[in-house]
Amino acid sequence: MSDEQRTRQLRVALAQVDTRVGDLAGNVDLVHRWAARAAGAGAHLVVFPEMTLTGYPPEDLVLRESFARASEQALVGLAADLADQGLGGTAVVVGYLAHTPGSGPAPVDRAPTGDEDAPGDANPRRGAPRNAAALLYGGEVVVRYYKRHLPNYGVFDEARYFVPGTELPVVRLHGVDVALTICEDLWVEGGPCGIAGRAGVDVVVSPNASPYERAKDDLRLPLVRRRAAEARATVVYCNQVGGQDELVFDGDSLAVAPDGQLLARAPQFVEHLATVDLAIDPAAVPGRREGRIGPMTVTRHLLSEEPLPAFDPRPGSIAEPLGDCEEVWRALVLGLRDFIDKNGMPSVVFGLSGGIDSAMVAALAVDALGADRVHGVALPSEYSSEHSLSDAADSAQRLGLHYSVVPIAPMVAAFRGSVELTGVAAENLQARVRGTLLMGLSNQHGHLLLATSNKSEVAVGYSTLYGDAAGGFAPIKDVPKTLVWELSRWRNARARELGETEPIPQNSIDKPPSAELAPGQQDSDSLPSYEELDAVVADYVDRDLGMAELLERGHDPAVVARVLRLVDMSEFKRRQSAPGTKISLKAFGRDRRLPITNRWRESLPSVREGAVP
Amino acid sequence: MSDEQRTRQLRVALAQVDTRVGDLAGNVDLVHRWAARAAGAGAHLVVFPEMTLTGYPPEDLVLRESFARASEQALVGLAADLADQGLGGTAVVVGYLAHTPGSGPAPVDRAPTGDEDAPGDANPRRGAPRNAAALLYGGEVVVRYYKRHLPNYGVFDEARYFVPGTELPVVRLHGVDVALTICEDLWVEGGPCGIAGRAGVDVVVSPNASPYERAKDDLRLPLVRRRAAEARATVVYCNQVGGQDELVFDGDSLAVAPDGQLLARAPQFVEHLATVDLAIDPAAVPGRREGRIGPMTVTRHLLSEEPLPAFDPRPGSIAEPLGDCEEVWRALVLGLRDFIDKNGMPSVVFGLSGGIDSAMVAALAVDALGADRVHGVALPSEYSSEHSLSDAADSAQRLGLHYSVVPIAPMVAAFRGSVELTGVAAENLQARVRGTLLMGLSNQHGHLLLATSNKSEVAVGYSTLYGDAAGGFAPIKDVPKTLVWELSRWRNARARELGETEPIPQNSIDKPPSAELAPGQQDSDSLPSYEELDAVVADYVDRDLGMAELLERGHDPAVVARVLRLVDMSEFKRRQSAPGTKISLKAFGRDRRLPITNRWRESLPSVREGAVP
């Protein structure tokens, strides 16, 4: 049987790793270790996530020429080092930041870019950075692919940074044709996958940095299936895992055959090496083209024609997606852990009030860091109820964290002896005394202070700036209060299943929420029910609906008016809030960019305006 | 003499107004008033700034369909109302947010946009918002122009929001051909001005929202001259004036003839109506084209062919650009005033330490708001020197602002009686007690708290989070310490020229800077000289230079290493800092987006890396 007729095989590994932004040397080392593991598992091709060497998203580091040059140098060095270590025979696809030297400072008069249809005019003060992936083999950088579709919505600003690519390289490895794409390219029908389908390829590799959002994994498999069908090729989708400031990446890497069969799926929220064995039937392979196809140019690069000696294929392992609560919990744990560890913080501290928010943050922190790195401080005031202290102590005892009690009365009295503060000013004073105490402990002991505000509070500004809003990280900032309760119940149920102590006091879950800044105060004095509040916030904040649509959705008009007013008025607080892990469709932070100075208030169109078509 | 041979005249008004973001009704009212003024001055065409009706930048309000619909309705209503008020015979060019209804929620699988070369893939969850300008005449919206070049660098995110236009409308008004463009379109050689030049027009109007930056006005006139030459037409550049969060717009509106003659120039930092009388010699007018020219389609719209009866032209008035110090001072004053007034705050409060930063903020605040709206509080500690209190009192007396003294010792003692705080933790405690006191006064009396940090401090994190960094606005956040001194000297000199009391105590300018958080502490104990520091910050932060370039520029290697480490380590503080007026090439805030979690540290390339090409 000639080579042309033999089935071509390839073992592809998906290295779902947790990179660090800006850590070129560390990320190069990570690629070394995982490439060696993949080669040890018999892989011929290893795929890493998007921008492996720089981490993702590197944000304005991209504009630093020194960084871009270092990324290019790291890539070339990595190719050589892999070969030096005997890994030159394994093809490795890594993401990096590519750089064409700039033309110096901005000309006053900008020259046309050559891409006159560019809708986004990027910074003229730099060269041409690109979001790139390279295939390394035999000590060389064999091909470089430049991402074509640059997301510029939500948390993404890629049109700020990158120039889009126009070339689709296809590498023949052991007789198998492998095309390179990156992340967003996969979301566009008729994009690089469609072009690969017209060119004829066997495999499309897709390094990704696709942040976690609730239920996003439900979208990925159907999406990858459609692209595999369009490309008439197996799609190998490798996503990064880990936390980076406001984002957490869940992994969930996939390989899907052209007929839609799921060949492998990596578990979420852990580093993982998945392998998939491909067998390409030469009869099923269409004709091969190169050159201009649509808006791209397809290039072909021969590494090895000879098919591999036949080997017994192993079925890929397929992880089950997690349930909704477990998925969110693990997103929050990983987001918190990576923020603390990647920033080199030894430990965390926070106010433990006996309420559900701080009880949940305590449980998350212990899951993320272990009890020995977690410090809870009860800061009772004259308005604190008895159950506040007992529930806080219960929480600390269940989790085994470091616990102390510092009554705030002497500090509050000292302030009130110096200036007259009444009403809201007196309420906020208590919160700020707590914030100052906790920041003192943070500075004294090197703990990072966690803010315990939830999304409902952040939305309506139900928190004190520099008080309970103080902190370097806000683990549940994107978790609405109703979900805080649901997750807490789920976490306790999971503990019961495992025969462990429930980490969250039932009383913290059950009791009516209160800020306890005034006698007998309850959240329901100043806010609608959290069920109503969260439903309006989801529609107004996450979905950007206006007044007419909100009322059409059946919300109570009085509740809508109240919630929208509070959301609109508290933008200045959010602008100064700590980052927290995004889990929703739209999180406060980079994802939602509203002016502070903003007179727009939603209202129903007037009759006069309504009459205009 | 036939119409074809007669000189065509037109009086064009530039309405350099201060709009409010989100205030559609207020901005419509503003257009009414200024259009009436312009008509009263005999203008036939009035040009308003970019996005007049929505204010600029509206940021994510653009994604709210209700807002975009309201903008469209406001435009149509405005056209009708202008005619109702007898202004239908004056052509009015206003900016607005245009909206094509969206196709509902994001499809999982995005359809190609038709613009397959788009480098930025905008949010698929919306319709097609556009940055637009319309010409209103006779009660109708005559033409709509959609901005072609969308800036997506620095503080600009227009590729996030807008779809670029492809049509260049030209309106014939009293026999004069007027083309519409918007802002960034003017910065692109071969862009809409070049196309207008090939099509043949008499006037190009350019509504702008071009933020102030030091020395930017030195760029505008040569730029507009080049475009006027390219367009072979008079360019009428109308820029907005006023503050919006981090940005301040300086106006500096211009009209320039095709031969480069400056016809009119509006003063900076004030609302102003400039007029310019044009006389178009028919012999000088080239042939007229329409249809496809380059990437755009030129359309022609006849309003009136008949030239106006001849009138005596009046020379336009030409304002002298301000000197550097006065320009910066007035930018800071206007940025502060508009932030306070547009957010409806009655008054401001801040800590008055006797140091130069708070003394300068006090002078700015009094210039911006008047002394009666300004409250300074001295908050002395055991480490405060005698001159601190006397200089603070001197500052208050010179300015006539409200002044009080609250010693912080009792509060500091109360904290230190409850928890052990030493070293930096004890220093920061003092700053946070001050922050808590000032926020208490803010809450009690409705003052907005101003943070007095300067750019040098913000760069190296030489401030206490929730302490002296606390505040809703930071007026000198983008002013390096060396410029704080220079501006203070300039402001005193200006007062002397005017025979007024110098607003800033000379002793505050002269004495060595100190945070006074420990005995005998001076800034020079922990920082390089401010001359060295500011020079490195300008190169590292504003110009994004790497280590090799910084050393090439002659900075001391030890100073560079120390400053870069401090800048890199304090990103978490900056993320929570108040907005302040941008005056530099690159301000902290929207202009510079670095990750908090970031392991990149500038160093010289190693020999090994250096050897790789």
Side-chain angles (χ1 to χ4, degrees):
Chain A
M1 196 160 73
S2 81
D3 283 358
E4 289 297 308
Q5 295 161 314
R6 267 173 56 196
T7 293
R8 297 169 178 86
Q9 289 183 283
L10 203 67
R11 177 166 294 166
V12 183
L14 294 76
Q16 175 176 297
V17 295
D18 188 350
T19 57
R20 287 189 189 207
V21 165
D23 190 9
L24 294 172
N27 294 332
V28 161
D29 187 54
L30 190 74
V31 171
H32 269 289
R33 285 184 282 116
W34 286 75
R37 273 188 64 184
H44 311 102
L45 171 66
V46 197
V47 182
F48 285 86
E50 186 172 8
M51 299 197 85
T52 328
L53 301 190
T54 58
Y56 187 91
E59 304 189 57
D60 278 10
L61 283 177
V62 172
L63 307 181
R64 194 90 59 80
E65 286 210 17
S66 55
F67 182 67
R69 283 197 305 266
S71 165
E72 288 274 3
Q73 288 166 350
L75 181 78
V76 173
L78 173 63
D81 287 351
L82 286 171
D84 288 349
Q85 297 191 12
L87 298 168
T90 307
V92 175
V93 174
V94 291
Y96 72 107
L97 169 62
H99 179 63
T100 312
S103 49
V108 171
D109 203 346
R110 296 174 199 162
T113 57
D115 185 350
E116 289 217 316
D117 282 295
D121 288 8
N123 195 333
R125 292 192 186 100
R126 51 177 173 79
R130 295 176 187 257
N131 182 332
L135 189 143
L136 313 181
Y137 187 78
E140 301 290 330
V141 178
V142 176
V143 293
R144 297 159 185 260
Y145 171 76
Y146 304 129
K147 189 177 187 177
R148 174 144 189 81
H149 293 280
L150 304 173
N152 203 64
Y153 52 84
V155 299
F156 302 108
D157 282 314
E158 293 201 11
R160 178 180 173 89
Y161 302 118
F162 304 121
V163 178
T166 56
E167 190 179 301
L168 185 67
V170 180
V171 176
R172 177 162 293 184
L173 178 68
H174 305 301
V176 177
D177 283 332
V178 180
L180 272 61
T181 66
I182 300 175
C183 200
E184 189 81 1
D185 293 333
L186 207 68
W187 290 78
V188 179
E189 192 184 329
C193 285
I195 290 164
R198 290 158 70 188
V201 306
D202 303 308
V203 180
V204 172
V205 299
S206 170
N208 277 260
S210 173
Y212 173 71
E213 249 177 47
R214 281 180 85 182
K216 198 179 199 180
D217 52 336
D218 298 344
L219 302 181
R220 281 194 192 114
L221 181 54
L223 172 77
V224 176
R225 282 193 164 129
R226 277 194 302 278
R227 287 303 157 267
E230 198 186 5
R232 296 187 287 175
T234 297
V235 173
V236 176
Y237 170 104
C238 182
N239 191 21
Q240 77 176 41
V241 72
Q244 170 60 27
D245 290 352
E246 296 182 346
L247 302 181
V248 64
F249 299 86
D250 60 332
D252 191 31
S253 300
L254 300 165
V256 171
D259 65 0
Q261 192 194 344
L262 178 60
L263 302 174
R265 183 165 205 166
Q268 290 174 277
F269 302 110
V270 288
E271 290 193 302
H272 185 80
L273 189 80
T275 57
V276 57
D277 285 353
L278 306 181
I280 313 295
D281 175 1
V285 173
R288 308 275 138 160
R289 289 172 59 194
E290 60 188 315
R292 183 91 181 180
I293 299 182
M296 299 190 82
T297 301
V298 176
T299 60
R300 295 199 174 260
H301 309 266
L302 180 65
L303 285 184
S304 49
E305 190 67 69
E306 177 76 12
L308 289 163
F311 61 86
D312 285 340
R314 292 189 308 212
S317 73
I318 296 178
E320 277 297 306
L322 303 172
D324 184 45
C325 279
E326 178 165 12
E327 188 182 82
V328 174
W329 188 270
R330 293 185 61 184
L332 297 173
V333 166
L334 183 56
L336 172 57
R337 180 194 300 141
D338 269 5
F339 189 85
I340 301 300
D341 286 349
K342 290 180 179 179
N343 283 294
M345 303 303 296
S347 49
V348 295
V349 67
F350 48 88
L352 202 50
S353 71
I356 185 60
D357 298 315
S358 61
M360 173 163 158
V361 167
L364 281 173
V366 170
D367 280 0
L369 307 170
D372 202 43
R373 297 173 67 189
V374 179
H375 300 256
V377 185
L379 300 153
S381 77
E382 55 181 317
Y383 306 125
S384 297
S385 51
E386 262 181 48
H387 58 73
S388 293
L389 262 186
S390 60
D391 291 341
D394 186 17
S395 178
Q397 195 189 6
R398 286 168 180 275
L399 291 163
L401 52 78
H402 302 277
Y403 179 64
S404 55
V405 180
V406 184
I408 64 171
M411 282 75 80
V412 172
F415 279 96
R416 301 193 67 169
S418 293
V419 286
E420 192 196 1
L421 299 175
T422 55
V424 171
E427 294 186 21
N428 284 335
L429 171 64
Q430 300 164 61
R432 292 199 183 101
V433 163
R434 291 186 174 116
T436 298
L437 263 167
L438 291 166
M439 283 302 293
L441 296 172
S442 163
N443 291 157
Q444 185 75 17
H445 303 290
H447 312 312
L448 183 128
L449 175 58
L450 299 179
T452 59
S453 308
N454 60 56
K455 186 174 192 172
S456 315
E457 291 170 351
V458 173
V460 295
Y462 197 69
S463 65
T464 300
L465 194 58
Y466 320 134
D468 54 309
F473 196 72
I476 60 171
K477 180 183 183 181
D478 199 33
V479 185
K481 187 80 169 191
T482 47
L483 184 57
V484 169
W485 279 312
E486 187 182 346
L487 290 170
S488 296
R489 289 195 194 96
W490 171 85
R491 182 65 187 80
N492 276 356
R494 168 56 54 97
R496 287 195 301 275
E497 281 168 29
L498 299 172
E500 297 171 353
T501 306
E502 295 179 3
I504 298 168
Q506 191 63 37
N507 199 41
S508 297
I509 300 176
D510 293 338
K511 66 185 177 186
S514 166
E516 296 195 332
L517 296 173
Q521 188 180 45
Q522 296 207 342
D523 291 10
S524 54
D525 302 340
S526 18
L527 296 177
S529 78
Y530 280 110
E531 286 71 21
E532 289 177 294
L533 173 59
D534 288 353
V536 173
V537 167
D539 280 346
Y540 182 55
V541 173
D542 293 29
R543 296 188 192 99
D544 256 328
L545 300 187
M547 181 61 79
E549 294 99 328
L550 289 168
L551 299 186
E552 274 166 29
R553 301 260 298 164
H555 299 294
D556 179 331
V559 171
V560 169
R562 196 167 158 199
V563 171
L564 267 53
R565 185 178 166 279
L566 292 169
V567 171
D568 291 345
M569 297 291 288
S570 44
E571 191 55 38
F572 75 99
K573 288 191 191 180
R574 283 190 290 273
R575 197 66 73 88
Q576 296 189 37
S577 62
T581 304
K582 170 181 159 81
I583 61 160
S584 72
L585 186 62
K586 186 178 291 195
F588 293 117
R590 293 284 160 100
D591 212 4
R592 184 177 187 267
R593 306 177 191 176
L594 281 178
I596 295 175
T597 305
N598 169 16
R599 302 267 286 194
W600 175 246
R601 299 291 177 264
E602 287 293 334
S603 61
L604 286 177
S606 68
V607 175
R608 151 99 211 238
E609 288 173 335
V612 176
Chain B
M1 196 158 78
S2 81
D3 284 0
E4 290 296 307
Q5 294 160 314
R6 268 175 53 196
T7 293
R8 296 169 180 85
Q9 288 184 281
L10 204 66
R11 178 166 293 164
V12 183
L14 296 75
Q16 175 175 297
V17 294
D18 187 349
T19 58
R20 287 187 189 208
V21 165
D23 189 9
L24 294 174
N27 295 332
V28 161
D29 187 53
L30 190 73
V31 172
H32 269 289
R33 284 185 282 117
W34 286 75
R37 272 188 65 183
H44 311 102
L45 170 65
V46 198
V47 182
F48 285 86
E50 185 172 8
M51 298 196 88
T52 328
L53 300 190
T54 58
Y56 187 90
E59 305 189 58
D60 277 9
L61 284 177
V62 172
L63 308 180
R64 196 90 59 79
E65 286 210 17
S66 55
F67 183 67
R69 282 197 305 266
S71 166
E72 289 273 4
Q73 288 167 350
L75 180 78
V76 174
L78 173 62
D81 287 351
L82 286 171
D84 288 350
Q85 296 191 12
L87 299 168
T90 307
V92 175
V93 174
V94 292
Y96 72 105
L97 169 62
H99 178 65
T100 312
S103 50
V108 171
D109 201 346
R110 295 174 202 164
T113 56
D115 185 350
E116 288 216 316
D117 282 295
D121 288 8
N123 194 333
R125 290 193 187 101
R126 52 178 172 80
R130 294 175 188 258
N131 183 333
L135 188 144
L136 313 182
Y137 188 78
E140 301 290 329
V141 179
V142 175
V143 294
R144 297 159 185 261
Y145 170 75
Y146 304 129
K147 188 176 187 177
R148 171 141 191 86
H149 293 280
L150 303 173
N152 204 63
Y153 53 84
V155 299
F156 301 108
D157 283 314
E158 293 201 12
R160 177 179 174 90
Y161 301 119
F162 303 121
V163 178
T166 56
E167 190 179 301
L168 184 67
V170 180
V171 176
R172 177 162 292 184
L173 177 67
H174 304 303
V176 177
D177 283 331
V178 179
L180 273 60
T181 66
I182 299 175
C183 199
E184 189 81 1
D185 293 333
L186 207 67
W187 291 78
V188 180
E189 192 182 329
C193 284
I195 290 164
R198 290 157 70 189
V201 305
D202 303 307
V203 180
V204 172
V205 300
S206 170
N208 277 259
S210 172
Y212 173 71
E213 250 177 48
R214 281 179 84 182
K216 199 181 200 179
D217 52 337
D218 298 344
L219 302 181
R220 280 194 192 116
L221 180 55
L223 173 76
V224 176
R225 282 192 164 128
R226 277 194 301 279
R227 286 304 157 267
E230 198 185 6
R232 296 188 287 172
T234 297
V235 173
V236 176
Y237 170 103
C238 182
N239 192 20
Q240 77 176 43
V241 71
Q244 170 61 27
D245 290 352
E246 296 181 348
L247 303 181
V248 65
F249 299 86
D250 60 333
D252 191 31
S253 300
L254 299 167
V256 172
D259 65 0
Q261 192 196 343
L262 179 60
L263 303 175
R265 184 166 204 166
Q268 291 174 275
F269 302 111
V270 288
E271 290 193 304
H272 186 80
L273 189 80
T275 57
V276 57
D277 285 353
L278 306 181
I280 313 296
D281 174 2
V285 173
R288 308 274 137 159
R289 288 172 60 193
E290 61 189 313
R292 183 94 181 180
I293 300 182
M296 300 190 84
T297 301
V298 175
T299 60
R300 296 202 172 256
H301 309 265
L302 179 66
L303 286 184
S304 49
E305 189 68 70
E306 178 77 10
L308 289 164
F311 61 87
D312 283 341
R314 290 189 310 213
S317 72
I318 296 178
E320 277 298 304
L322 303 171
D324 186 43
C325 279
E326 178 166 11
E327 187 183 81
V328 175
W329 188 270
R330 293 187 58 182
L332 298 174
V333 166
L334 183 56
L336 172 57
R337 179 194 299 141
D338 269 4
F339 189 85
I340 300 302
D341 286 347
K342 291 181 178 177
N343 283 293
M345 302 302 296
S347 48
V348 297
V349 67
F350 48 88
L352 202 51
S353 71
I356 185 59
D357 299 315
S358 60
M360 172 162 158
V361 166
L364 281 173
V366 170
D367 279 0
L369 307 171
D372 201 43
R373 297 173 68 188
V374 179
H375 299 254
V377 186
L379 300 153
S381 77
E382 56 181 316
Y383 305 125
S384 296
S385 52
E386 262 179 49
H387 58 72
S388 294
L389 262 186
S390 59
D391 291 341
D394 186 16
S395 178
Q397 195 189 5
R398 286 167 179 275
L399 292 162
L401 51 77
H402 302 277
Y403 178 62
S404 55
V405 180
V406 184
I408 64 170
M411 283 76 81
V412 172
F415 279 97
R416 300 192 67 169
S418 293
V419 288
E420 193 196 1
L421 299 175
T422 56
V424 170
E427 294 187 21
N428 284 335
L429 170 65
Q430 300 164 62
R432 291 199 184 101
V433 163
R434 292 187 174 115
T436 298
L437 263 167
L438 291 166
M439 282 303 293
L441 296 172
S442 163
N443 290 157
Q444 185 76 17
H445 302 291
H447 312 313
L448 184 129
L449 175 59
L450 299 180
T452 58
S453 309
N454 61 55
K455 187 172 191 173
S456 315
E457 290 171 353
V458 174
V460 296
Y462 196 69
S463 65
T464 300
L465 194 57
Y466 320 134
D468 53 311
F473 196 72
I476 60 170
K477 180 182 183 182
D478 199 32
V479 184
K481 186 81 170 190
T482 47
L483 185 57
V484 169
W485 280 311
E486 188 183 345
L487 290 171
S488 297
R489 289 194 194 94
W490 170 85
R491 183 65 186 79
N492 277 357
R494 168 57 53 97
R496 287 195 300 274
E497 281 168 30
L498 298 173
E500 297 171 353
T501 306
E502 295 180 4
I504 299 169
Q506 191 62 39
N507 199 43
S508 297
I509 300 176
D510 292 339
K511 67 187 177 184
S514 166
E516 297 197 331
L517 296 172
Q521 187 179 45
Q522 296 206 343
D523 291 9
S524 54
D525 302 341
S526 18
L527 297 177
S529 78
Y530 280 111
E531 287 70 22
E532 290 176 295
L533 173 58
D534 288 354
V536 174
V537 167
D539 280 347
Y540 183 55
V541 173
D542 293 30
R543 297 188 191 100
D544 256 328
L545 300 186
M547 181 61 81
E549 294 99 328
L550 289 168
L551 298 186
E552 274 166 29
R553 301 259 299 165
H555 299 294
D556 178 330
V559 170
V560 169
R562 195 165 158 203
V563 172
L564 267 52
R565 184 178 166 279
L566 292 170
V567 172
D568 291 345
M569 297 291 288
S570 44
E571 191 54 40
F572 75 99
K573 288 191 192 180
R574 283 191 289 273
R575 197 64 74 90
Q576 296 189 36
S577 64
T581 304
K582 168 181 161 82
I583 60 159
S584 73
L585 187 63
K586 187 178 291 195
F588 293 117
R590 292 284 160 97
D591 213 5
R592 184 177 187 266
R593 307 177 189 176
L594 281 177
I596 296 174
T597 306
N598 169 18
R599 302 270 285 196
W600 176 247
R601 298 292 177 263
E602 287 294 331
S603 61
L604 285 177
S606 67
V607 175
R608 153 96 211 239
E609 288 172 335
V612 175

